[in-house]
Amino acid sequence: MNAMQIKTRHLAVFVETAQRMSVGKAAAALGLSQPAATRTLRELEAALDRPLLAREGRGIRLTPAGEEFCRHAAASLAALRRGVDAVQDLAGSGRAALRIGALPTVSARIMPKVAAGFLADTGALLTIVTGENTVLLDRLARGELDVVVGRLAAPERMFGLSFEHLYSEEVRFVVRRGHPLADTHAFAPAAIAAYPVIMPTPGSVIRPYVERLLIALALPEPQRRIESVSDSFGRAFLRETNAVWIISEGVVADEIAAGAFVALPVDTAETRGAVGLTLRADQDRPPLLDAFGRALRAATAALRASQ
């Protein structure tokens, strides 16, 4: 087998297919036809003289050779993207850059302090992308982000990734000041069913926690609900309506402290989860990550001291 036969397009199609477990979805994501993607995968298997994918029912799975090759292929693509991005950053500004993915709770609660500390320490460019956990982890795996700051993902999503714990937080049931539930002395969780509810989307990292909590509270799935992880929408909708917002406490910590929002007296201890840094396990540490880590740990230490 001649390694020079393997091109970047082979790696891109294979890694995308391995991540999505679907040739069709991989082809769509890469802007290819499914026959073209299938042909590229066959070329790669021929070059390696090993099957990388196998049929499993109506889907596909990685063979042992495919699992082994995927780790190296993903790392190679990620390194290539980092190199291209680094050259472009230097060409555009003469400065290095760090690309961060952050869940909304992190963006709202600690990233302003982290960003200020990082810029003061390095003067480097800092790109912050906010989104759902699954989207951010996919971008991390593809080398489009250097690190993701957020909740620890489910075990099946941590393949090829490493996690460093920083702090823990819970989900809260939040309403605006003056909401009927906030003024009720004998609050009962069942009363929530009478109001619209903003819930995290099915793909969000806290959705399983919320679903289990609703079951534990004997609450039916809210019929009048909006599914969103947009913190700006949640804040605006809560101020203007009698909705109940089920959200990570970090997103609304400032509003609760200021008295604009009220956390309902619902026991949410079982939703407590770890928040930290997620990186690719096989990547070299980005040069600016240590400086970012120092700023992040300083901000989380201040957060823990205030709790």
Side-chain angles (χ1 to χ4, degrees):
M1 186 273 294
N2 184 356
M4 297 304 293
Q5 294 177 269
I6 300 175
K7 308 298 183 183
T8 304
R9 62 184 176 86
H10 294 116
L11 302 183
V13 172
F14 173 66
V15 170
E16 197 72 32
T17 301
Q19 290 175 346
R20 298 177 183 274
M21 282 296 123
S22 167
V23 178
K25 291 179 180 179
L30 295 171
L32 301 172
S33 67
Q34 185 164 336
T38 299
R39 184 169 58 251
T40 301
L41 292 170
R42 287 174 178 167
E43 290 174 0
L44 177 59
E45 290 181 321
L48 292 169
D49 194 26
R50 292 288 188 279
L52 303 177
L53 300 166
R55 289 284 181 186
E56 187 171 64
R58 296 184 179 179
I60 60 174
R61 63 174 175 82
L62 293 177
T63 65
E67 291 180 357
E68 181 64 25
F69 187 72
C70 186
R71 286 191 285 270
H72 299 286
S76 298
L77 283 176
L80 177 60
R81 290 192 179 99
R82 288 200 303 274
V84 171
D85 290 343
V87 170
Q88 291 176 339
D89 289 337
L90 288 172
S93 65
R95 292 185 291 169
L98 189 67
R99 302 162 304 170
I100 305 297
L103 292 183
T105 174
V106 176
S107 294
R109 194 172 201 182
I110 63 172
M111 283 306 294
K113 293 183 177 64
V114 174
F118 177 82
L119 294 178
D121 188 16
T122 67
L125 295 174
L126 185 63
T127 300
I128 301 174
V129 177
T130 299
E132 290 188 356
N133 200 55
T134 52
V135 175
L136 296 179
L137 292 182
D138 284 346
R139 295 190 65 178
L140 176 65
R142 292 196 298 267
E144 297 171 5
L145 296 173
D146 297 310
V147 61
V148 170
V149 188
R151 280 208 177 206
L152 174 62
E156 61 270 18
R157 291 310 310 266
M158 291 301 294
F159 176 78
L161 303 175
S162 63
F163 181 82
E164 178 183 340
H165 178 263
L166 293 170
Y167 65 94
S168 298
E169 70 175 7
E170 298 178 17
V171 168
R172 298 294 185 194
F173 288 63
V174 183
V175 297
R176 63 172 176 80
R177 182 176 60 188
H179 189 286
L181 293 180
D183 295 335
T184 300
H185 297 296
F187 169 77
I192 293 172
Y195 299 93
V197 174
I198 309 174
M199 289 183 64
T201 57
S204 66
V205 70
I206 66 170
R207 178 62 177 257
Y209 293 88
V210 171
E211 290 177 343
R212 289 194 294 269
L213 182 60
L214 292 178
I215 293 171
L217 293 172
L219 288 175
E221 188 175 71
Q223 295 300 306
R224 291 190 297 158
R225 70 177 184 272
I226 298 172
E227 296 181 339
S228 174
V229 293
S230 170
D231 54 316
S232 56
F233 169 79
R235 290 188 182 92
F237 193 70
L238 211 66
R239 290 189 182 100
E240 297 177 10
T241 70
N242 280 337
V244 177
W245 190 9
I246 308 175
I247 189 67
S248 292
E249 60 185 334
V251 174
V252 289
D254 289 343
E255 285 83 1
I256 292 174
F261 293 166
V262 177
L264 298 176
V266 179
D267 183 1
T268 58
E270 69 177 64
T271 68
R272 192 167 185 82
V275 178
L277 291 172
T278 301
L279 299 96
R280 291 183 303 278
D282 55 5
Q283 78 179 80
D284 296 329
R285 291 178 68 86
L288 294 169
L289 186 59
D290 288 339
F292 178 78
R294 287 194 296 272
L296 185 60
R297 291 180 185 87
T300 54
L303 173 63
R304 287 194 297 267
S306 67
Q307 290 177 331

